[in-house]
Amino acid sequence: MKVNIGISNRHVHLTLEHANTLFGKELTKLRDLVQKGQYACNEVVTIKTAKGEIPNVRVLGPTRNYSQVEISKTDAYKLGLNPPVRTSGDLEDSEAITIVGPNGEVQLKEGCIIANRHIHMNPETAHELGFCNDQRVCVKIDTIKGGIMENVHIKVTDDGVLEMHIDTDDANAFLVEKGMMGEIIDGD
Amino acid sequence: MKVNIGISNRHVHLTLEHANTLFGKELTKLRDLVQKGQYACNEVVTIKTAKGEIPNVRVLGPTRNYSQVEISKTDAYKLGLNPPVRTSGDLEDSEAITIVGPNGEVQLKEGCIIANRHIHMNPETAHELGFCNDQRVCVKIDTIKGGIMENVHIKVTDDGVLEMHIDTDDANAFLVEKGMMGEIIDGD
């Protein structure tokens, strides 16, 4: 079965407190994302370490009960980091990173991860398709640099909209572009 | 069967004439590569287009009868290019790019490609392993962001040393690091 692929560039989620520190005001919506209630903000930050920095990193809203920086392995080399591959919110022993906004900065002792490949869906879709939350599946990508992405995490949430999320390294390695689909094959 | 993986960062091959234009002298060896007779040079260039440039791109020697710039898709976005995925030397209708050295610059009308995933070997190894030149195989990568790379080109040459070459996008997407191995599985 086919699934739409969304490509996640590096981005930041913030607590309300950290958003206030960085911007001195509430986050403002630039555009809605596919996942219900999620949006790209007008606000951007610089993420930095002792070894490097990356400017213009988009903040995604709404605020959460944790702050988190999601980067690719390519970004990680620039920043001199070795972030674990994790699902959102699973931040224990993840990498330290500093977030700089126009109004202030926030030093996260942990919070920087490489997001795992995952597929969002709601419980009805999961039931129909025969998947369960936290299951791992494989997804086949049909391009000239295609192949199979393993260890793709099924994330079932009430508001989930069927969509696979991959990072820019996966997109660029497999030559996946906006609007492409993957094919969910055997679980692994 | 397992194969050593070499990660190819962006790099440039030059004709003798272009090397002279760029450097005003012969290429000099920095270190040998795994493939016999191939070496990284001390010389680096800037590659550029109307949309961007990337400095410190390594030249590989010895000189060839064609000049060629091998980049990743990530690099291609920075440069505003859409290079085809090709084997070395297959440059027809590949992307135009400018190479800048300390002594001059060279404008290639074509020559910029994304290298295809490939595995070098000599005829004896190919015979032993049951592969033939130009065959395509799949290679399994066993990491937490692992999977299967399809459309991997078997390149049989007299001097070939058994080694798989992937670009930095593939390496970063699959979390492949120096010294890792892949497993050649079914042809496709």
Side-chain angles (χ1 to χ4, degrees), chain A residues 134-147:
Chain A
D134 280 339
Q135 185 179 347
R136 259 65 179 181
V137 298
C138 297
V139 176
K140 184 168 169 61
I141 307 292
D142 188 18
T143 66
I144 198 171
K145 278 185 80 208

Side-chain angles (χ1 to χ4, degrees), chain B residues 32-102:
Chain B
D32 284 315
L33 301 178
V34 171
Q35 297 304 311
K36 274 183 209 162
Q38 303 294 305
Y39 51 88
C41 298
N42 293 296
E43 290 74 22
V44 294
V45 294
T46 293
I47 55 175
K48 74 171 187 182
T49 63
K51 294 202 180 162
E53 62 178 57
I54 300 176
N56 296 316
V57 179
R58 186 70 53 191
V59 177
L60 302 191
T63 54
R64 297 188 175 187
N65 61 1
Y66 54 86
S67 289
Q68 173 175 295
V69 178
E70 297 179 41
I71 63 174
S72 69
K73 187 70 179 176
T74 299
D75 296 335
Y77 282 120
K78 273 185 213 157
L79 297 171
L81 296 178
N82 187 22
V85 177
R86 293 282 178 81
T87 195
S88 240
D90 177 11
L91 301 180
E92 193 177 339
D93 294 329
S94 61
E95 283 279 40
I97 196 161
T98 298
I99 309 174
V100 184

Side-chain angles (χ1 to χ4, degrees), chain B residues 97 105 180:
Chain B
I97 196 161
E105 71 177 56
M180 282 190 184

Side-chain angles (χ1 to χ4, degrees), chain A residues 14-15 19 23 25-29 39 41 43 59-63:
Chain A
L14 295 171
T15 62
F23 301 105
K25 63 179 185 63
E26 285 188 14
L27 300 176
T28 58
K29 187 192 290 186
Y39 51 89
C41 297
E43 289 75 22
V59 177
L60 302 190
T63 54

Side-chain angles (χ1 to χ4, degrees), chain A:
Chain A
M1 77 140 289
K2 299 273 190 177
V3 60
N4 277 312
I5 302 177
I7 302 166
S8 299
N9 203 343
R10 66 185 77 95
H11 64 270
V12 169
H13 300 282
L14 295 171
T15 62
L16 181 58
E17 184 193 346
H18 286 163
N20 282 334
T21 302
L22 294 167
F23 301 105
K25 63 179 185 63
E26 285 188 14
L27 300 176
T28 58
K29 187 192 290 186
L30 171 65
R31 61 182 168 77
D32 285 313
L33 300 178
V34 171
Q35 297 304 312
K36 274 183 209 162
Q38 303 294 306
Y39 51 89
C41 297
N42 292 296
E43 289 75 22
V44 294
V45 294
T46 294
I47 54 176
K48 74 171 189 183
T49 64
K51 295 202 180 162
E53 62 179 56
I54 300 176
N56 296 315
V57 179
R58 186 71 52 190
V59 177
L60 302 190
T63 54
R64 298 188 174 186
N65 61 2
Y66 55 86
S67 289
Q68 174 175 293
V69 178
E70 297 179 42
I71 65 174
S72 68
K73 187 71 180 176
T74 300
D75 295 335
Y77 282 120
K78 275 184 213 158
L79 297 170
L81 296 178
N82 187 22
V85 178
R86 292 282 178 82
T87 195
S88 239
D90 178 11
L91 302 180
E92 192 177 341
D93 294 328
S94 60
E95 283 279 41
I97 196 162
T98 299
I99 308 174
V100 184
N103 192 63
E105 70 176 55
V106 169
Q107 293 182 24
L108 298 182
K109 284 186 191 165
E110 54 190 21
C112 181
I113 61 171
I114 294 172
N116 61 8
R117 301 159 176 166
H118 57 274
I119 301 175
H120 291 281
M121 63 183 71
N122 64 24
E124 293 70 35
T125 304
H127 181 74
E128 272 171 38
L129 301 177
F131 296 120
C132 56
N133 190 38
D134 280 339
Q135 185 179 347
R136 259 65 179 181
V137 298
C138 297
V139 176
K140 184 168 169 61
I141 307 292
D142 188 18
T143 66
I144 198 171
K145 278 185 80 208
I148 294 170
M149 296 186 190
E150 293 178 351
N151 207 17
V152 181
H153 182 198
I154 300 287
K155 288 178 85 165
V156 181
T157 56
D158 288 344
D159 284 341
V161 176
L162 184 62
E163 185 189 29
M164 178 176 183
H165 283 181
I166 59 174
D167 65 22
T168 48
D169 281 341
D170 278 333
N172 292 347
F174 285 83
L175 301 181
V176 174
E177 293 178 14
K178 203 177 167 180
M180 281 190 185
M181 303 188 85
E183 184 182 1
I184 306 176
I185 55 176
D186 314 340
D188 54 4

Side-chain angles (χ1 to χ4, degrees), chain B residues 102-154:
Chain B
N103 192 62
E105 71 177 56
V106 169
Q107 292 181 24
L108 299 182
K109 285 185 190 165
E110 54 190 22
C112 181
I113 61 171
I114 295 173
N116 61 8
R117 301 159 176 165
H118 57 273
I119 301 175
H120 291 280
M121 63 184 70
N122 64 24
E124 293 69 35
T125 304
H127 181 74
E128 271 172 39
L129 302 177
F131 294 121
C132 56
N133 190 38
D134 279 339
Q135 184 178 348
R136 258 64 180 182
V137 298
C138 296
V139 176
K140 186 168 167 64
I141 307 293
D142 188 19
T143 66
I144 198 172
K145 278 186 79 208
I148 294 171
M149 296 186 190
E150 293 178 350
N151 206 17
V152 181
H153 182 198
I154 300 285

